[in-house]
Amino acid sequence: MLKIWGRPSSVNVQKVLWAVRELALPHTNEHVGGQFGGLDTPEYGKMNPNRKVPVIDDGGLILWESNAIVRYLAARYSEGGLWPADVSVRAQADRWMDWTATEWQPAMVPAFLGLIRTPEAQRDAAAIAASAQKANKLGMMLEDALQGRDYIAGSHITMGDIVLGCVAHRWLAMPIERPATPAMSAWYRRLMMRPATQGVLTLPLS
């Protein structure tokens, strides 16, 4: 049985939990990281020298890095589904996964940490504002990409929507001013109606 290590409130763990639920894969989830601790043990360090979450064990294959895990699960268990058979469609999903990891998610981290995990008296208002502004600008790139389509790579959900959807969930829930995003909001509602997201993408943020 697939085993997942990671605290369910982590956005990166949520990507994996959502993927395994889309694929109906039997799995267990050991809560580590954050308030659960457990990342500093020799056993965990052997699995993931970065000492971050998530990590999976799938029949003896140990894998870390959330986007790599989602790609692996999609390729192994959902060829033609979450892993598009058309290489050009797959490339679009893949591109947006990388964009999320290198651009959008890092841009919103200072705002998220400041607004969600820092007491109000200790917040750096300038850093939060700069982060929100950058995240909003990047968010509009996604808004433009979703014009006229149901999902990021076309008419069907792919691995790209899972990764993007988890990060969009945070951006849309943070207490910041955002521009109007009708296409993204419709896409997000479509994702949140899927049974696989229930209990995975939760509020309030933590």
Side-chain angles (χ1 to χ4, degrees):
M1 180 181 292
L2 177 73
K3 185 170 183 179
I4 304 165
W5 285 265
R7 56 182 174 84
S9 59
S10 161
V11 65
N12 291 324
V13 176
Q14 288 168 352
K15 298 172 190 176
V16 177
L17 293 174
W18 180 358
V20 298
R21 292 186 60 173
E22 286 285 349
L23 300 170
L25 297 177
H27 64 279
T28 61
N29 178 203
E30 182 171 335
H31 295 183
V32 297
Q35 71 270 35
F36 301 103
L39 302 183
D40 294 330
T41 66
E43 294 79 12
Y44 196 86
K46 185 176 180 180
M47 291 192 300
N48 183 358
N50 290 311
R51 298 186 181 275
K52 295 181 178 180
V53 293
V55 172
I56 67 165
D57 180 346
D58 187 27
L61 172 66
I62 305 295
L63 192 61
W64 40 270
E65 287 295 332
S66 59
N67 285 9
I69 293 171
V70 171
R71 286 186 180 100
Y72 161 75
L73 294 173
R76 180 164 186 177
Y77 297 107
S78 189
E79 186 172 358
L82 294 181
W83 182 262
D86 185 328
V87 68
S88 63
V89 176
R90 188 164 70 242
Q92 292 187 56
D94 213 9
R95 172 185 60 190
W96 284 102
M97 291 173 74
D98 282 353
W99 174 83
T100 303
T102 61
E103 300 291 340
W104 202 28
Q105 192 170 345
M108 71 179 72
V109 164
F112 176 82
L113 294 178
L115 292 168
I116 306 302
R117 296 186 181 168
T118 303
E120 186 172 359
Q122 300 174 23
R123 292 174 184 170
D124 184 335
I128 291 171
S131 172
Q133 182 180 24
K134 186 174 182 180
N136 284 347
K137 182 178 180 181
L138 290 166
M140 293 309 294
M141 290 178 58
L142 179 58
E143 170 70 13
D144 290 344
L146 287 167
Q147 297 293 326
R149 59 175 60 191
D150 288 340
Y151 298 99
I152 194 58
S155 59
H156 300 287
I157 189 172
T158 67
M159 59 187 180
D161 296 286
I162 290 176
V163 170
L164 278 170
C166 287
V167 177
H169 176 71
R170 290 201 166 195
W171 183 67
L172 291 168
M174 282 196 299
I176 60 173
E177 291 188 9
R178 284 175 297 275
T181 53
M184 189 194 307
S185 296
W187 164 79
Y188 175 73
R189 288 193 297 271
R190 207 170 289 122
L191 296 177
M192 290 299 288
M193 290 175 64
R194 300 184 69 82
T197 65
Q198 305 307 305
V200 174
L201 299 184
T202 58
L203 295 172
L205 301 177
S206 62

